[in-house]
Amino acid sequence: MVEAVGTRSSELRARGRAALAAGQVALDTPPKDGGRWGLTALLRPTGDGLASLVDLADQASAVAGPGHWVHGAAEVHLTIRTFEAHRSVIAEDDPLLSRYRQALAAAVVGLAPFHLRLRGLSPHPRGVAVLGEPVEETADLLRLRLSKALRSDDERADGPPQRDWYANVVHFAAPLSSPADVLAWCDARADLDVGTLRFTDVEVVRWSWDGMRMRATTLDRVSLGAG
């Protein structure tokens, strides 16, 4: 059963806000093998929803100050699952990549396109996120199916399977000009309705650093069935 809209995201926001208010800030750095930003299954927003997220990223960046990773149209996303820690070299015939592709193809069988409602800005130790809530059960079911398909591989996952839905618009990568300003800016937009987005495709991407921001390269794309 889908939780009431706002229940899950309000809990996530409360945790993130409390942590940042307590001075917990975790700055991102360009990825290294064995660290964050490994192969990822994700959703990419499109249309008006994407434009709204990019605009919010620019606004959040102005409040946070210089030096942070600001996600543009090519980077903003919602993570379904991070498969593993970062690897800088991944061949097209990489056996783990093949395993992830097969698991994703199996997970989407019979699933129709689905919706996520994006509402509310949340500060957290690593940045600023727009929070999401599933409209149907499909989004959570996709994540559950993918987890089950990879159960034997769970020890390779970069942390526990993710439960929450959100799109980071800024990742902190430099000292904050004023954490209080970031908190206040997000508080004023805690209920901002960004819109309900429809997702028809799931991607597997690899991440790389281009000297200014993280870049996602699509290695596989699977379409959800019509319906």
Side-chain angles (χ1 to χ4, degrees):
M1 178 179 296
V2 177
E3 296 175 56
V5 171
T7 301
R8 192 187 307 182
S9 58
S10 63
E11 293 173 355
L12 178 61
R13 185 180 190 282
R15 294 195 303 269
R17 190 191 188 287
L20 186 59
Q24 299 176 30
V25 179
L27 302 184
D28 258 307
T29 57
K32 297 180 180 179
D33 284 359
R36 283 165 42 80
W37 299 94
L39 283 168
T40 304
L42 54 72
L43 305 168
R44 288 188 193 259
T46 58
D48 292 342
L50 175 58
S52 296
L53 290 169
V54 171
D55 181 57
L56 287 169
D58 290 339
Q59 294 179 45
S61 172
V63 176
H68 304 292
W69 296 357
V70 184
H71 295 319
E75 298 84 38
V76 68
H77 65 278
L78 294 95
T79 297
I80 301 170
R81 181 186 178 95
T82 298
F83 293 115
E84 59 177 46
H86 183 78
R87 286 189 289 151
S88 56
V89 178
I90 302 174
E92 174 61 27
D93 61 352
D94 181 90
L96 288 180
L97 174 59
S98 297
R99 173 76 174 114
Y100 305 146
R101 284 170 163 166
Q102 293 168 5
L104 184 59
V108 303
V109 171
L111 296 184
F114 58 86
H115 303 79
L116 291 170
R117 181 182 182 186
L118 301 187
R119 185 178 70 181
L121 274 290
S122 176
H124 59 91
R126 289 192 176 276
V128 174
V130 178
L131 303 180
E133 290 281 352
V135 175
E136 313 94 348
E137 296 180 354
T138 311
D140 287 340
L141 180 58
L142 171 59
R143 186 176 270 165
L144 177 62
R145 282 185 174 189
L146 188 54
S147 180
K148 287 181 176 179
L150 292 166
R151 183 154 291 167
S152 63
D153 299 336
D154 275 351
E155 66 273 12
R156 283 195 290 268
D158 184 15
Q162 185 169 316
R163 175 176 178 268
D164 301 302
W165 293 99
Y166 54 85
N168 279 304
V169 291
V170 168
H171 274 94
F172 298 145
L176 293 177
S177 299
S178 171
D181 287 348
V182 173
L183 291 169
W185 186 83
C186 291
D187 286 348
R189 294 159 180 80
D191 293 315
L192 179 67
D193 189 353
V194 179
T196 298
L197 279 61
R198 183 174 186 264
F199 294 96
T200 61
D201 298 294
V202 180
E203 297 182 31
V204 175
V205 308
R206 62 177 298 179
W207 295 98
S208 59
W209 176 249
D210 72 356
M212 293 184 63
R213 64 178 68 194
M214 296 300 299
R215 295 293 187 186
T217 300
T218 301
L219 302 181
D220 195 18
R221 180 182 288 107
V222 179
S223 295
L224 297 164

